[in-house]
Amino acid sequence: MNYCPNCGEPVNEGAKFCPKCGQNLEATTGAAPLGKAKAQWSQFLTDESGELLMEQEKGLEVTRGDLKEAAQRKLSGRYGEWLKTILWYLVVVALSSVFLSVALGKMAYHSFWYNYGYGYGEFGSGVSYVIWLLLFLVVFVFLFLVSTLFQAVMQWCSIFTLKGQRADGVRIFRYMIRSQKNRVLKANVLTGIYTFLWSLLLVIPGIVKGASYAMTNYLLEKEPDITASEAISKSRKIMHGYKLEFLILRYSFYLWWLVMSLSAGLAGFYVLPYQNVTEMKFLDLLYQKYQEKQAESADL
């Protein structure tokens, strides 16, 4: 099969003109330029309106329903194992949010002129403002780290659930600190920072980059000798072509997120294990596919 050097459209052998753009194919120098055009156009996929599409590989040949069903089977009778971890997270987030609100209020109080009668008065203490600002930043960074590490613990709990082991998040967190030589902490803090920085460009780049880092914790558990940086790089490599499929799976839980928000987070005791184990099952199958492709390449 040849390809049009102008638009990349597949063309039949012996065709004189491209059926899509009308390019004169006889003006080309044969199959070499056409084959080169395929390589060039395969790097940039666009739809009919010219919008850039995410790269895609051959799918995992498993439906989202199959993945969710497999997750439900693994979680059957085991949701209670996740209860303590999620409860701790909700408590820490609630307390941190209170501190953030208080700090913001105090910062606002010390930032304006006050007078009870005429609208003017003595300026609030600059020292107090700086103190409350520093407290706000410390709590904000703390909340960021807690959220990042909580997601890591959720993924590790999912791995343990798929392996048939107890998903005790508190024990897993201690294991991550004591036995993993800080590589798990380093990897998750780095991916959290990278995702946040990409999100500053607009929301979509952060979402896409977050998907490319999705396999980092799986690789850290699966390959004990891999470093944090190597796990991040390898996750990006394996997720290439599968980010869209992964994101579709992730956002298929949006109705559950709505239920969780309406229930003031109580539905999270069901939704979080369900979603994380489903996603981890997807990553597990993808890793198996990657291993098979590596074995095939080694045999050639």
PDB file of all heavy atoms in Angstrom, residues 188-217:
ATOM      1  N   ASN A 188       5.900   9.848  43.045  1.00  0.00           N
ATOM      2  CA  ASN A 188       4.553  10.413  43.104  1.00  0.00           C
ATOM      3  C   ASN A 188       4.573  11.928  43.304  1.00  0.00           C
ATOM      4  O   ASN A 188       3.724  12.633  42.760  1.00  0.00           O
ATOM      5  CB  ASN A 188       3.749   9.733  44.205  1.00  0.00           C
ATOM      6  CG  ASN A 188       3.252   8.370  43.788  1.00  0.00           C
ATOM      7  OD1 ASN A 188       2.241   8.244  43.120  1.00  0.00           O
ATOM      8  ND2 ASN A 188       3.986   7.329  44.177  1.00  0.00           N
ATOM      9  N   VAL A 189       5.531  12.424  44.071  1.00  0.00           N
ATOM     10  CA  VAL A 189       5.649  13.877  44.221  1.00  0.00           C
ATOM     11  C   VAL A 189       6.031  14.509  42.884  1.00  0.00           C
ATOM     12  O   VAL A 189       5.477  15.542  42.484  1.00  0.00           O
ATOM     13  CB  VAL A 189       6.681  14.231  45.306  1.00  0.00           C
ATOM     14  CG1 VAL A 189       6.985  15.722  45.293  1.00  0.00           C
ATOM     15  CG2 VAL A 189       6.163  13.829  46.680  1.00  0.00           C
ATOM     16  N   LEU A 190       6.956  13.873  42.163  1.00  0.00           N
ATOM     17  CA  LEU A 190       7.368  14.397  40.860  1.00  0.00           C
ATOM     18  C   LEU A 190       6.215  14.401  39.866  1.00  0.00           C
ATOM     19  O   LEU A 190       5.980  15.396  39.174  1.00  0.00           O
ATOM     20  CB  LEU A 190       8.537  13.575  40.307  1.00  0.00           C
ATOM     21  CG  LEU A 190       9.904  13.797  40.950  1.00  0.00           C
ATOM     22  CD1 LEU A 190      10.939  12.840  40.373  1.00  0.00           C
ATOM     23  CD2 LEU A 190      10.363  15.237  40.740  1.00  0.00           C
ATOM     24  N   THR A 191       5.483  13.286  39.780  1.00  0.00           N
ATOM     25  CA  THR A 191       4.364  13.233  38.830  1.00  0.00           C
ATOM     26  C   THR A 191       3.271  14.227  39.220  1.00  0.00           C
ATOM     27  O   THR A 191       2.622  14.822  38.349  1.00  0.00           O
ATOM     28  CB  THR A 191       3.768  11.814  38.752  1.00  0.00           C
ATOM     29  OG1 THR A 191       3.401  11.363  40.068  1.00  0.00           O
ATOM     30  CG2 THR A 191       4.763  10.843  38.152  1.00  0.00           C
ATOM     31  N   GLY A 192       3.078  14.421  40.539  1.00  0.00           N
ATOM     32  CA  GLY A 192       2.104  15.415  40.990  1.00  0.00           C
ATOM     33  C   GLY A 192       2.493  16.818  40.568  1.00  0.00           C
ATOM     34  O   GLY A 192       1.660  17.594  40.088  1.00  0.00           O
ATOM     35  N   ILE A 193       3.773  17.140  40.721  1.00  0.00           N
ATOM     36  CA  ILE A 193       4.269  18.469  40.330  1.00  0.00           C
ATOM     37  C   ILE A 193       4.193  18.641  38.815  1.00  0.00           C
ATOM     38  O   ILE A 193       3.743  19.688  38.314  1.00  0.00           O
ATOM     39  CB  ILE A 193       5.707  18.670  40.829  1.00  0.00           C
ATOM     40  CG1 ILE A 193       5.731  18.732  42.365  1.00  0.00           C
ATOM     41  CG2 ILE A 193       6.307  19.943  40.237  1.00  0.00           C
ATOM     42  CD1 ILE A 193       7.122  18.770  42.949  1.00  0.00           C
ATOM     43  N   TYR A 194       4.634  17.604  38.074  1.00  0.00           N
ATOM     44  CA  TYR A 194       4.587  17.688  36.613  1.00  0.00           C
ATOM     45  C   TYR A 194       3.160  17.904  36.122  1.00  0.00           C
ATOM     46  O   TYR A 194       2.900  18.745  35.254  1.00  0.00           O
ATOM     47  CB  TYR A 194       5.139  16.403  35.981  1.00  0.00           C
ATOM     48  CG  TYR A 194       6.599  16.142  36.237  1.00  0.00           C
ATOM     49  CD1 TYR A 194       7.130  14.855  36.135  1.00  0.00           C
ATOM     50  CD2 TYR A 194       7.465  17.173  36.574  1.00  0.00           C
ATOM     51  CE1 TYR A 194       8.471  14.615  36.365  1.00  0.00           C
ATOM     52  CE2 TYR A 194       8.814  16.937  36.807  1.00  0.00           C
ATOM     53  CZ  TYR A 194       9.307  15.649  36.705  1.00  0.00           C
ATOM     54  OH  TYR A 194      10.635  15.401  36.940  1.00  0.00           O
ATOM     55  N   THR A 195       2.224  17.148  36.675  1.00  0.00           N
ATOM     56  CA  THR A 195       0.823  17.261  36.258  1.00  0.00           C
ATOM     57  C   THR A 195       0.276  18.641  36.576  1.00  0.00           C
ATOM     58  O   THR A 195      -0.435  19.255  35.767  1.00  0.00           O
ATOM     59  CB  THR A 195      -0.035  16.186  36.953  1.00  0.00           C
ATOM     60  OG1 THR A 195       0.500  14.880  36.663  1.00  0.00           O
ATOM     61  CG2 THR A 195      -1.480  16.247  36.471  1.00  0.00           C
ATOM     62  N   PHE A 196       0.625  19.156  37.763  1.00  0.00           N
ATOM     63  CA  PHE A 196       0.162  20.493  38.151  1.00  0.00           C
ATOM     64  C   PHE A 196       0.704  21.556  37.202  1.00  0.00           C
ATOM     65  O   PHE A 196      -0.035  22.444  36.756  1.00  0.00           O
ATOM     66  CB  PHE A 196       0.609  20.788  39.585  1.00  0.00           C
ATOM     67  CG  PHE A 196       0.340  22.199  40.028  1.00  0.00           C
ATOM     68  CD1 PHE A 196      -0.944  22.621  40.347  1.00  0.00           C
ATOM     69  CD2 PHE A 196       1.380  23.114  40.128  1.00  0.00           C
ATOM     70  CE1 PHE A 196      -1.191  23.931  40.743  1.00  0.00           C
ATOM     71  CE2 PHE A 196       1.143  24.417  40.525  1.00  0.00           C
ATOM     72  CZ  PHE A 196      -0.148  24.822  40.832  1.00  0.00           C
ATOM     73  N   LEU A 197       1.988  21.463  36.865  1.00  0.00           N
ATOM     74  CA  LEU A 197       2.595  22.454  35.978  1.00  0.00           C
ATOM     75  C   LEU A 197       1.997  22.388  34.576  1.00  0.00           C
ATOM     76  O   LEU A 197       1.748  23.422  33.947  1.00  0.00           O
ATOM     77  CB  LEU A 197       4.110  22.243  35.916  1.00  0.00           C
ATOM     78  CG  LEU A 197       4.872  22.530  37.219  1.00  0.00           C
ATOM     79  CD1 LEU A 197       6.353  22.209  37.070  1.00  0.00           C
ATOM     80  CD2 LEU A 197       4.681  23.988  37.653  1.00  0.00           C
ATOM     81  N   TRP A 198       1.750  21.170  34.085  1.00  0.00           N
ATOM     82  CA  TRP A 198       1.111  21.034  32.779  1.00  0.00           C
ATOM     83  C   TRP A 198      -0.308  21.582  32.812  1.00  0.00           C
ATOM     84  O   TRP A 198      -0.797  22.133  31.818  1.00  0.00           O
ATOM     85  CB  TRP A 198       1.099  19.572  32.337  1.00  0.00           C
ATOM     86  CG  TRP A 198       2.374  19.130  31.684  1.00  0.00           C
ATOM     87  CD1 TRP A 198       3.381  18.395  32.239  1.00  0.00           C
ATOM     88  CD2 TRP A 198       2.787  19.412  30.343  1.00  0.00           C
ATOM     89  NE1 TRP A 198       4.400  18.201  31.335  1.00  0.00           N
ATOM     90  CE2 TRP A 198       4.052  18.816  30.164  1.00  0.00           C
ATOM     91  CE3 TRP A 198       2.209  20.103  29.285  1.00  0.00           C
ATOM     92  CZ2 TRP A 198       4.741  18.887  28.952  1.00  0.00           C
ATOM     93  CZ3 TRP A 198       2.896  20.174  28.078  1.00  0.00           C
ATOM     94  CH2 TRP A 198       4.155  19.574  27.921  1.00  0.00           C
ATOM     95  N   SER A 199      -0.974  21.463  33.950  1.00  0.00           N
ATOM     96  CA  SER A 199      -2.341  21.963  34.070  1.00  0.00           C
ATOM     97  C   SER A 199      -2.403  23.480  33.985  1.00  0.00           C
ATOM     98  O   SER A 199      -3.444  24.042  33.635  1.00  0.00           O
ATOM     99  CB  SER A 199      -2.964  21.505  35.394  1.00  0.00           C
ATOM    100  OG  SER A 199      -3.047  20.097  35.452  1.00  0.00           O
ATOM    101  N   LEU A 200      -1.298  24.142  34.318  1.00  0.00           N
ATOM    102  CA  LEU A 200      -1.272  25.593  34.240  1.00  0.00           C
ATOM    103  C   LEU A 200      -1.398  26.083  32.799  1.00  0.00           C
ATOM    104  O   LEU A 200      -1.807  27.220  32.554  1.00  0.00           O
ATOM    105  CB  LEU A 200       0.027  26.132  34.855  1.00  0.00           C
ATOM    106  CG  LEU A 200       0.214  25.880  36.359  1.00  0.00           C
ATOM    107  CD1 LEU A 200       1.555  26.441  36.813  1.00  0.00           C
ATOM    108  CD2 LEU A 200      -0.919  26.490  37.169  1.00  0.00           C
ATOM    109  N   LEU A 201      -1.037  25.222  31.827  1.00  0.00           N
ATOM    110  CA  LEU A 201      -1.152  25.598  30.422  1.00  0.00           C
ATOM    111  C   LEU A 201      -2.603  25.624  29.975  1.00  0.00           C
ATOM    112  O   LEU A 201      -2.924  26.220  28.966  1.00  0.00           O
ATOM    113  CB  LEU A 201      -0.357  24.615  29.545  1.00  0.00           C
ATOM    114  CG  LEU A 201       1.147  24.565  29.808  1.00  0.00           C
ATOM    115  CD1 LEU A 201       1.795  23.516  28.920  1.00  0.00           C
ATOM    116  CD2 LEU A 201       1.772  25.934  29.540  1.00  0.00           C
ATOM    117  N   LEU A 202      -3.430  24.969  30.644  1.00  0.00           N
ATOM    118  CA  LEU A 202      -4.884  24.779  30.518  1.00  0.00           C
ATOM    119  C   LEU A 202      -5.143  23.403  31.128  1.00  0.00           C
ATOM    120  O   LEU A 202      -4.221  22.642  31.390  1.00  0.00           O
ATOM    121  CB  LEU A 202      -5.393  24.847  29.072  1.00  0.00           C
ATOM    122  CG  LEU A 202      -5.475  26.274  28.474  1.00  0.00           C
ATOM    123  CD1 LEU A 202      -5.918  26.209  27.028  1.00  0.00           C
ATOM    124  CD2 LEU A 202      -6.393  27.194  29.261  1.00  0.00           C
ATOM    125  N   VAL A 203      -6.373  23.060  31.303  1.00  0.00           N
ATOM    126  CA  VAL A 203      -6.687  21.818  32.026  1.00  0.00           C
ATOM    127  C   VAL A 203      -6.314  20.576  31.229  1.00  0.00           C
ATOM    128  O   VAL A 203      -5.759  19.617  31.768  1.00  0.00           O
ATOM    129  CB  VAL A 203      -8.194  21.785  32.383  1.00  0.00           C
ATOM    130  CG1 VAL A 203      -8.546  20.469  33.063  1.00  0.00           C
ATOM    131  CG2 VAL A 203      -8.549  22.964  33.273  1.00  0.00           C
ATOM    132  N   ILE A 204      -6.593  20.595  29.919  1.00  0.00           N
ATOM    133  CA  ILE A 204      -6.428  19.394  29.099  1.00  0.00           C
ATOM    134  C   ILE A 204      -5.003  18.839  29.112  1.00  0.00           C
ATOM    135  O   ILE A 204      -4.813  17.630  29.286  1.00  0.00           O
ATOM    136  CB  ILE A 204      -6.890  19.654  27.648  1.00  0.00           C
ATOM    137  CG1 ILE A 204      -8.372  20.041  27.623  1.00  0.00           C
ATOM    138  CG2 ILE A 204      -6.657  18.424  26.772  1.00  0.00           C
ATOM    139  CD1 ILE A 204      -9.295  18.998  28.209  1.00  0.00           C
ATOM    140  N   PRO A 205      -3.947  19.668  28.931  1.00  0.00           N
ATOM    141  CA  PRO A 205      -2.592  19.103  28.979  1.00  0.00           C
ATOM    142  C   PRO A 205      -2.294  18.385  30.291  1.00  0.00           C
ATOM    143  O   PRO A 205      -1.616  17.357  30.301  1.00  0.00           O
ATOM    144  CB  PRO A 205      -1.696  20.335  28.798  1.00  0.00           C
ATOM    145  CG  PRO A 205      -2.544  21.304  28.061  1.00  0.00           C
ATOM    146  CD  PRO A 205      -3.926  21.111  28.581  1.00  0.00           C
ATOM    147  N   GLY A 206      -2.808  18.908  31.405  1.00  0.00           N
ATOM    148  CA  GLY A 206      -2.595  18.252  32.693  1.00  0.00           C
ATOM    149  C   GLY A 206      -3.273  16.905  32.757  1.00  0.00           C
ATOM    150  O   GLY A 206      -2.722  15.930  33.295  1.00  0.00           O
ATOM    151  N   ILE A 207      -4.480  16.815  32.201  1.00  0.00           N
ATOM    152  CA  ILE A 207      -5.219  15.544  32.191  1.00  0.00           C
ATOM    153  C   ILE A 207      -4.482  14.507  31.355  1.00  0.00           C
ATOM    154  O   ILE A 207      -4.321  13.348  31.762  1.00  0.00           O
ATOM    155  CB  ILE A 207      -6.644  15.756  31.649  1.00  0.00           C
ATOM    156  CG1 ILE A 207      -7.457  16.612  32.625  1.00  0.00           C
ATOM    157  CG2 ILE A 207      -7.340  14.422  31.401  1.00  0.00           C
ATOM    158  CD1 ILE A 207      -8.826  16.994  32.119  1.00  0.00           C
ATOM    159  N   VAL A 208      -4.015  14.927  30.180  1.00  0.00           N
ATOM    160  CA  VAL A 208      -3.307  14.008  29.283  1.00  0.00           C
ATOM    161  C   VAL A 208      -2.002  13.542  29.912  1.00  0.00           C
ATOM    162  O   VAL A 208      -1.665  12.352  29.880  1.00  0.00           O
ATOM    163  CB  VAL A 208      -3.039  14.678  27.919  1.00  0.00           C
ATOM    164  CG1 VAL A 208      -2.174  13.779  27.036  1.00  0.00           C
ATOM    165  CG2 VAL A 208      -4.359  14.991  27.218  1.00  0.00           C
ATOM    166  N   LYS A 209      -1.253  14.481  30.505  1.00  0.00           N
ATOM    167  CA  LYS A 209       0.008  14.107  31.137  1.00  0.00           C
ATOM    168  C   LYS A 209      -0.234  13.193  32.338  1.00  0.00           C
ATOM    169  O   LYS A 209       0.536  12.274  32.596  1.00  0.00           O
ATOM    170  CB  LYS A 209       0.776  15.361  31.571  1.00  0.00           C
ATOM    171  CG  LYS A 209       1.523  16.028  30.433  1.00  0.00           C
ATOM    172  CD  LYS A 209       2.596  15.103  29.894  1.00  0.00           C
ATOM    173  CE  LYS A 209       3.342  15.732  28.740  1.00  0.00           C
ATOM    174  NZ  LYS A 209       4.400  14.808  28.218  1.00  0.00           N
ATOM    175  N   GLY A 210      -1.301  13.470  33.087  1.00  0.00           N
ATOM    176  CA  GLY A 210      -1.638  12.591  34.204  1.00  0.00           C
ATOM    177  C   GLY A 210      -1.863  11.165  33.748  1.00  0.00           C
ATOM    178  O   GLY A 210      -1.460  10.203  34.419  1.00  0.00           O
ATOM    179  N   ALA A 211      -2.484  11.011  32.573  1.00  0.00           N
ATOM    180  CA  ALA A 211      -2.708   9.666  32.019  1.00  0.00           C
ATOM    181  C   ALA A 211      -1.380   9.008  31.631  1.00  0.00           C
ATOM    182  O   ALA A 211      -1.217   7.792  31.795  1.00  0.00           O
ATOM    183  CB  ALA A 211      -3.635   9.750  30.809  1.00  0.00           C
ATOM    184  N   SER A 212      -0.442   9.793  31.130  1.00  0.00           N
ATOM    185  CA  SER A 212       0.841   9.211  30.725  1.00  0.00           C
ATOM    186  C   SER A 212       1.641   8.714  31.926  1.00  0.00           C
ATOM    187  O   SER A 212       2.490   7.827  31.798  1.00  0.00           O
ATOM    188  CB  SER A 212       1.664  10.232  29.934  1.00  0.00           C
ATOM    189  OG  SER A 212       2.112  11.283  30.766  1.00  0.00           O
ATOM    190  N   TYR A 213       1.376   9.271  33.119  1.00  0.00           N
ATOM    191  CA  TYR A 213       2.081   8.841  34.331  1.00  0.00           C
ATOM    192  C   TYR A 213       1.312   7.758  35.092  1.00  0.00           C
ATOM    193  O   TYR A 213       1.741   7.333  36.161  1.00  0.00           O
ATOM    194  CB  TYR A 213       2.273  10.028  35.279  1.00  0.00           C
ATOM    195  CG  TYR A 213       3.005  11.203  34.678  1.00  0.00           C
ATOM    196  CD1 TYR A 213       2.582  12.507  34.939  1.00  0.00           C
ATOM    197  CD2 TYR A 213       4.117  11.021  33.860  1.00  0.00           C
ATOM    198  CE1 TYR A 213       3.247  13.601  34.399  1.00  0.00           C
ATOM    199  CE2 TYR A 213       4.785  12.113  33.315  1.00  0.00           C
ATOM    200  CZ  TYR A 213       4.345  13.397  33.580  1.00  0.00           C
ATOM    201  OH  TYR A 213       5.003  14.471  33.042  1.00  0.00           O
ATOM    202  N   ALA A 214       0.191   7.312  34.552  1.00  0.00           N
ATOM    203  CA  ALA A 214      -0.726   6.446  35.304  1.00  0.00           C
ATOM    204  C   ALA A 214      -0.094   5.135  35.752  1.00  0.00           C
ATOM    205  O   ALA A 214      -0.467   4.578  36.789  1.00  0.00           O
ATOM    206  CB  ALA A 214      -1.976   6.155  34.468  1.00  0.00           C
ATOM    207  N   MET A 215       0.867   4.622  34.990  1.00  0.00           N
ATOM    208  CA  MET A 215       1.429   3.310  35.293  1.00  0.00           C
ATOM    209  C   MET A 215       2.639   3.381  36.223  1.00  0.00           C
ATOM    210  O   MET A 215       3.228   2.350  36.561  1.00  0.00           O
ATOM    211  CB  MET A 215       1.796   2.593  33.993  1.00  0.00           C
ATOM    212  CG  MET A 215       2.140   1.131  34.172  1.00  0.00           C
ATOM    213  SD  MET A 215       2.363   0.244  32.634  1.00  0.00           S
ATOM    214  CE  MET A 215       0.667  -0.142  32.261  1.00  0.00           C
ATOM    215  N   THR A 216       3.011   4.546  36.680  1.00  0.00           N
ATOM    216  CA  THR A 216       4.235   4.705  37.479  1.00  0.00           C
ATOM    217  C   THR A 216       4.221   3.816  38.719  1.00  0.00           C
ATOM    218  O   THR A 216       5.190   3.086  38.983  1.00  0.00           O
ATOM    219  CB  THR A 216       4.405   6.179  37.896  1.00  0.00           C
ATOM    220  OG1 THR A 216       4.479   7.001  36.725  1.00  0.00           O
ATOM    221  CG2 THR A 216       5.670   6.356  38.709  1.00  0.00           C
ATOM    222  N   ASN A 217       3.152   3.852  39.512  1.00  0.00           N
ATOM    223  CA  ASN A 217       3.104   3.051  40.733  1.00  0.00           C
ATOM    224  C   ASN A 217       3.064   1.561  40.440  1.00  0.00           C
ATOM    225  O   ASN A 217       3.663   0.759  41.169  1.00  0.00           O
ATOM    226  CB  ASN A 217       1.896   3.460  41.581  1.00  0.00           C
ATOM    227  CG  ASN A 217       2.134   4.748  42.331  1.00  0.00           C
ATOM    228  OD1 ASN A 217       3.006   4.829  43.185  1.00  0.00           O
ATOM    229  ND2 ASN A 217       1.378   5.786  42.002  1.00  0.00           N
TER     230      ASN A 217
END
